[in-house]
Structure formats: structure tokens, C-alpha cells
Amino acid sequence: MKVFKFGGASVKDAEAIRNVGSILLRFEHEPVLVVVSAMGKTTNKLEACLSYLLAQDQLNYYHTVDELRDFHVDIAGELFHDEHRKVFTFIDDLFEQLKNKFEKPLAEQRSFEYDQVVSLGEVLSSFIINEYVLEHGLKSEWLDARRLIRTDNHYQEANVNWEKSEALITARLETSIHNTNTYITQGFIGHTAEGFTTTLGREGSDYSAAIFAFCTNASEVTIWKDVPGMLNADPKYFENTQLLSQISYREAIELAYFGASVIHPKTIKPLQNKGIPLFVKSFLAPDEPGTTIQSEGGNDHLIPSFIVKKNQVLITISSADFSFINEDALAKIFEIFYSNRIKINLMQNSALNFSVLVDGDKVHMESLLGKLSPTFKCKYNEGVELVTIRHYNQSTINQMISGRDVLLEQRSRQTARFVIR
Ligand code: ASP
Ligand code: MG
């Protein structure tokens, strides 16, 4: 089995979906399991719906739900004839149910409601795409990841139960219709033992592809992107980017961890554990080789990579009474970050200070400071950038930081990191 993943940009409109169909037709004679994301910006829109729902803002809720329904109906209208009632009925029913949610009592837990609402984008896209490829001659089946990927009930960032998922997926594939070669399913979503829908964290569809690959012992995974493969820098901000044609799992995990947004950081581990190679290729140029990620690391050092994370907040924490930031104080600080689900992008300590860097758009500073303030004093700088250079040398460092104000720096043998403004 091969596993393919198509992200939101690759299914953003009717033309993009036709292109996905043409790629899948190339593989019509071999088993392929296809994981798709929600179309275009659907997930963001569903997040907006959820906010209106929680705020009990009926006008905006209905308006946003309708916009999203029209978006899907328009795409379906371009892909199918009116007679293809199955797709239009599916879309109508799903949005009808979403609308009706407004009248119903809400669960106390926000993250539970999040998962029930925001998971729907993938359900829609996978259904539409499956019907589309069926019409174009592929022997395809729709798989419901809400029956196959088993997770705990850590809503919005659920943890996978590997054994259960493997058993469920294997059993489901055994019952598949004779002759099926293509399976289309959803990224990003799973379910709890009680049957409630969960999500795996934003941008989690890559991870879903890795979960399906792990559970089916796939021969390879391909992530189809709108870039030629993994590049050594984000082409949105850098000229003359270079393709990393062969890198190791380790290198890919480091790059993803430092913020290269090409693949979700959780994707690599399950693939590495089973030695399943990962290809990152362009859906616009499917014949190009793209990037291969596997165990061999001989080429990792050849090309320096540059990763810039903007909109960071550098927080410096010190004890209120001039005592050391010792292990006890660190444990308290980590507990606050952990329980508030705030990820730390970089940290550094001295006798009296502990500095951490966090994503500005994911942290509510006032509430965080409120939690730290009884025990600690805090200072912070907003709007700073984190620059990471893998396989650096002096000239690459100069290129990135000259003329900038460096607030903090860290170097290991492979990696140099700078907080700059
Ligand atoms: N649709 C989800 C998101 O936008 C998952 C994904 O695309 O990977 O976060
Ligand atoms: Mg995506």
C-alpha cells in the first residue's frame, strides 16, 4: 500500500480536485490510501463558526455556515452534474446539522465542541473527492477515520492509540469491496473509545497519513505539496531556495521542530519506526522527484537550512525575591506552561533568569503573566523573530543577523539560533 496526503491547497477548488484525480489515475492499478485535508481555508472558517456558536451570535453563525456551504456547493457544482444528488444531499445534510447545533445545548468543554465542529471540513472534502474519482473510473472507497483512528479524549490535540487503530484499520480494509484500489479518507481526525470525534492538532493531516502508513505497513508515503519538495528556506521570504533532495528522518524532524512548515513535526516518528520512506512532491509537477526522507543521513550537512519564526514573544522570568531559578522553580514554571498548553520554542537559563520564547499568536500574555506573577517577576518583548540555521557557518550567520539586534543566541554543532528584532 502507498499512502498519499493532499493538503488544503491541493484541494482548494474544482480545478485542484481535478488535478488530484489525474494524479490518482496514474496509480489506478495499485493500492493507494489517500488522506485529504479540508478544502482551502475551510478549517479556519469552521473555527470562526465555533467562536460564533460559543458566543451565541446567531446572525454571524448562520452567515458563516451558509458561506461555507455555498463554497462546497459551488465546487461540487463544477465537478458534478445536478443529477448527482448523492453529493449535494450529503453537503446539505451536513450543513443542516451544523446549523441545528445552534439550538442545542453545548458541552461544557470548549475543546470537545471544537472537535465536533472543526472536524467537518475533512469529512466534506473526502466525500466529494471520493465521489469525483469514482465517477472518473477509479475503484475507490470512502473510509471514515472517525471509526478507524482511535485516540484518547484529549480533545483538540488527541493522542493516538496505536494498537487499537491498527486493529480497526486492518479489520476495515479486510471488509473492503472486491477490486478496490483507492481508499479516500480524512486527515486530522479520529475518535475516542466512546465514539466522539477528536482532532489531532492543526495541520495534523500529515500526521494522519503517517498513522495510516504505520498501521497498514505501507511501502511509502507521499505528501503532495504546492512546492517542489522540502526546500532549505521558505520561498515566501527567501530568494534562491534550494531543494533538499535526500535527507534523513532525523534531519526532517529537526527542521520540522524548528518550524519548517512543510511537514507536521509528528509525522516522522511513526515512519522512522517502520522504515517507511517519505516523499514530498509537487502536485503541479508529479514527475519531478521532490524530496526523499529516509534513514540515510550522509547528505544532511550539504545544504544549510534557514527557518524564520515571526511574531515571537521572549519572556524573561526571574524569582520575585532574588533567589535562584533552581529545579524547583523550573518545575513550577513548566507546570504553568504545560497546563496552559503553551509550547516553548526555545529556552535559556542563568542564575536569576529563565528566558522562554513562545508563539505570539498562541499565547494570551495577560493570563499567562497572571499565573506566573505570584511567584515570579516577568519581563517580555513582543514581535521578535526566531532565526534557526541548520549546518551554519559564519557567512550564513552574517547573512541572517547583520544589522539586527540579537537578544539571545544558542549554538550547537549543527544548529545556530538567534532571537532578533
Ligand atoms: N485541515 C486541518 C488544518 O487546516 C488539518 C490539515 O490541513 O492538516 O489544520
Ligand atoms: Mg494543511
Side-chain angles (χ1 to χ4, degrees), residues 136 265 362 406:
H136 288 78
K362 294 197 188 113
V406 176

Side-chain angles (χ1 to χ4, degrees), residues 191-401:
H191 71 293
T192 65
E194 299 78 30
F196 293 116
T197 304
T198 50
T199 64
L200 307 174
R202 282 303 306 264
E203 305 297 329
S205 295
D206 295 347
Y207 184 39
S208 299
I211 299 166
F212 277 105
F214 182 94
C215 293
T216 58
N217 290 312
S219 57
E220 59 187 66
V221 174
T222 304
I223 296 182
W224 297 91
K225 307 271 312 176
D226 55 1
V227 286
M230 254 182 112
L231 302 173
N232 73 330
D234 186 338
K236 267 186 248 146
Y237 306 111
F238 288 82
E239 286 170 19
N240 308 321
T241 54
Q242 282 174 276
L243 180 72
L244 305 171
S245 52
Q246 287 259 357
I247 59 169
S248 67
Y249 294 119
R250 174 176 293 276
E251 183 68 11
I253 258 189
E254 295 283 5
L255 291 173
Y257 172 80
F258 289 133
S261 57
V262 183
I263 39 180
H264 189 281
K266 284 184 177 172
T267 311
I268 304 294
K269 179 177 182 287
L271 302 181
Q272 187 277 341
N273 289 173
K274 288 209 171 167
I276 302 168
L278 171 61
F279 302 108
V280 183
K281 288 168 72 117
S282 163
F283 58 74
L284 299 168
D287 290 320
E288 297 294 319
T291 297
T292 305
I293 301 165
Q294 34 59 49
S295 26
E296 167 52 36
N299 293 332
D300 287 351
H301 64 285
L302 295 179
I303 299 175
S305 289
F306 304 90
I307 302 150
V308 180
K309 266 175 163 296
K310 293 186 189 283
N311 190 18
Q312 300 289 297
V313 186
L314 180 63
I315 311 170
T316 302
I317 304 164
S318 50
S319 59
D321 62 358
F322 212 70
S323 55
F324 288 135
I325 293 287
N326 59 10
E327 289 71 12
D328 182 29
L330 287 174
K332 289 198 182 94
I333 295 169
F334 281 127
E335 169 52 29
I336 292 170
F337 279 80
Y338 177 73
S339 58
N340 289 281
R341 296 183 177 192
I342 300 169
K343 291 198 174 119
I344 297 175
N345 293 330
L346 175 143
M347 55 187 132
Q348 190 154 295
N349 63 327
S350 69
L352 297 175
N353 290 332
F354 182 59
S355 299
V356 295
L357 193 71
V358 299
D359 291 334
D361 53 355
K362 294 197 188 113
V363 58
H364 191 278
M365 279 310 286
E366 226 170 280
S367 109
L368 176 64
L369 296 178
K371 286 177 181 129
L372 290 164
S373 65
T375 331
F376 303 103
K377 278 194 302 194
C378 298
K379 286 189 295 188
Y380 65 95
N381 276 297
E382 288 176 300
V384 299
E385 287 178 20
L386 172 61
V387 172
T388 302
I389 312 172
R390 282 285 282 172
H391 312 292
Y392 63 90
N393 58 25
Q394 198 51 48
S395 104
T396 48
I397 290 177
N398 294 346
Q399 184 188 332
M400 294 304 292
I401 67 167

Side-chain angles (χ1 to χ4, degrees), residues 14-77:
E15 192 192 329
I17 292 172
R18 288 193 195 99
N19 182 52
V20 169
S22 76
I23 291 177
L24 295 183
L25 268 172
R26 293 163 162 247
F27 297 90
E28 67 176 320
H29 299 300
E30 47 187 317
V32 179
L33 191 152
V34 185
V35 172
V36 298
S37 294
M39 296 173 177
K41 298 277 170 238
T42 299
T43 306
N44 292 350
K45 271 255 155 121
L46 285 167
E47 285 186 346
C49 290
L50 179 82
S51 309
Y52 295 132
L53 178 65
L54 297 178
Q56 287 291 293
D57 178 345
Q58 189 170 32
L59 197 72
N60 278 311
Y61 181 67
Y62 283 175
H63 178 72
T64 316
V65 173
D66 285 343
E67 270 183 358
L68 209 47
R69 186 202 49 218
D70 294 348
F71 171 71
H72 286 88
V73 169
D74 287 349
I75 291 178

